[in-house]
């Protein structure tokens, strides 16, 4: 049953190398949903199917999973896409001025843009929710973690309905199925922009509500 909370799971694609050797794009993707997490339940069942097939399988990671696992996971996401809202911020890194390229400056700004967009689009949903919970992968660098938390909290205080509570949590992706879900969605969108391969993002088309170019 739902407990009146709206969840946003976040994942990023590309790298923060702004030299020619870096990726052309940086993507930041959110998956917005609420309980019950039917897609996570189905992914959990598939994980144990893999274990019972004989694999020593601990968690889903799109770039590491083989093509058979990847195909099935995207199939599970597609089957449950009606319960998900996927949004992505698309950054063409060559257009970012040097003053904004430091990770402590760049990352919070981009995250702020994405959270603001989702909050605006989900305002009606938020009016009926008691709390918004934003979950990101663990951020090992304390300076960066503090900057991210400050950016998210600043944006949410401005955008959320009066009285709506929120929290920002940092979990290890291997322990959180929601973050593994966001990893798959982000991988599909990043692949579309970085290499032109639309196969996987097209499979999620119904759930992808916004691709915001910065």
């Amino acid at each position: 049953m739902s407990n009146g909370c709206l969840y946003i799971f976040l994942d990023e694609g590309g790298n923060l190398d702004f030299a020619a050797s870096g990726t052309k794009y940086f993507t930041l993707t959110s998956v917005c949903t609420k309980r019950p997490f039917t897609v996570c339940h189905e992914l959990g069942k598939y994980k144990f199917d893999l274990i019972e097939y004989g694999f020593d399988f601990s968690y889903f990671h799109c770039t590491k999973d083989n093509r058979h696992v990847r195909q099935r996971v995207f199939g599970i996401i597609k089957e449950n896409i009606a319960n998900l809202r996927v949004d992505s911020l698309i950054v063409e890194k060559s257009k970012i001025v040097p003053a904004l390229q430091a990770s402590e400056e760049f990352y919070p700004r981009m995250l702020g843009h994405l959270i603001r967009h989702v909050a605006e689009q989900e305002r009606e949903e938020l009016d009926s929710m008691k709390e918004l919970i934003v979950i990101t992968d663990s951020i090992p660098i304390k300076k960066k973690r503090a900057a991210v938390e400050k950016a998210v909290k600043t944006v949410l205080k401005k955008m959320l309905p009066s009285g709506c509570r929120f929290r920002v949590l940092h979990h290890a992706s291997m322990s959180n199925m929601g973050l593994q879900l966001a990893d798959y969605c982000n991988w599909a969108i990043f692949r579309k922009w970085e290499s032109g391969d639309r196969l996987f993002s097209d499979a999620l088309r119904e759930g992808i509500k916004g691709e915001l170019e910065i």
Side-chain angles (χ1 to χ4, degrees):
M1 63 179 180
S2 172
N3 61 352
C5 294
L6 189 66
Y7 288 81
I8 295 179
F9 299 98
L10 296 167
D11 191 69
E12 63 192 68
N15 56 45
L16 296 181
D17 179 2
F18 287 86
S21 58
T23 57
K24 181 178 180 181
Y25 289 97
F26 176 86
T27 60
L28 188 62
T29 299
S30 65
V31 177
C32 185
T33 186
K34 58 185 178 180
R35 294 175 62 193
F37 300 144
T38 55
V39 63
C40 293
H41 178 65
E42 293 301 317
L43 288 172
K45 290 197 297 183
Y46 179 49
K47 170 185 170 179
F48 286 101
D49 286 343
L50 290 170
I51 291 173
E52 292 171 15
Y53 289 151
F55 294 101
D56 182 4
F57 194 89
S58 57
Y59 69 103
F60 296 103
H61 192 288
C62 197
T63 58
K64 297 180 180 179
D65 294 341
N66 67 48
R67 63 185 182 89
H68 302 289
V69 172
R70 189 180 296 148
Q71 183 177 13
R72 179 59 186 135
V73 170
F74 274 113
I76 292 172
I77 297 173
K78 185 176 181 180
E79 291 165 5
N80 293 272
I81 201 68
N83 299 319
L84 306 173
R85 177 193 175 92
V86 180
D87 294 270
S88 191
L89 191 76
I90 316 297
V91 183
E92 189 173 352
K93 287 156 52 182
S94 63
K95 297 181 179 180
I96 301 298
V97 297
L100 298 181
Q101 292 178 5
S103 60
E104 293 79 13
E105 183 71 23
F106 173 80
Y107 193 91
R109 281 177 179 262
M110 298 305 108
L111 187 58
H113 281 301
L114 179 60
I115 295 296
R116 179 183 291 115
H117 169 76
V118 176
E120 288 174 345
Q121 298 302 312
E122 292 295 309
R123 182 173 292 276
E124 183 175 339
E125 186 74 32
L126 284 170
D127 286 339
S128 64
M129 295 286 104
K130 72 174 186 179
E131 186 174 30
L132 175 64
I133 299 175
V134 178
I135 302 180
T136 75
D137 198 356
S138 297
I139 302 174
I141 304 171
K142 290 183 178 180
K143 185 176 180 181
K144 184 178 179 182
R145 180 168 65 237
V148 170
E149 290 178 344
K150 181 179 179 180
V152 175
K153 291 176 180 178
T154 298
V155 170
L156 294 184
K157 284 179 180 178
K158 293 179 180 179
M159 298 304 305
L160 293 180
S162 177
C164 181
R165 297 188 298 136
F166 67 88
R167 282 182 287 158
V168 181
L169 307 176
H170 306 294
H171 292 174
S173 60
M174 65 178 61
S175 69
N176 190 304
M177 194 68 76
L179 291 176
Q180 295 167 45
L181 169 65
D183 166 69
Y184 260 76
C185 293
N186 182 73
W187 183 89
I189 294 171
F190 176 78
R191 189 175 178 88
K192 167 189 170 182
W193 286 85
E194 186 75 9
S195 65
D197 181 0
R198 305 176 63 101
L199 177 64
F200 298 98
S201 64
D202 283 351
L204 307 180
R205 186 187 302 112
E206 182 184 342
I208 299 176
K209 304 302 182 183
E211 292 177 80
L212 314 175
E213 294 185 64
I214 297 294

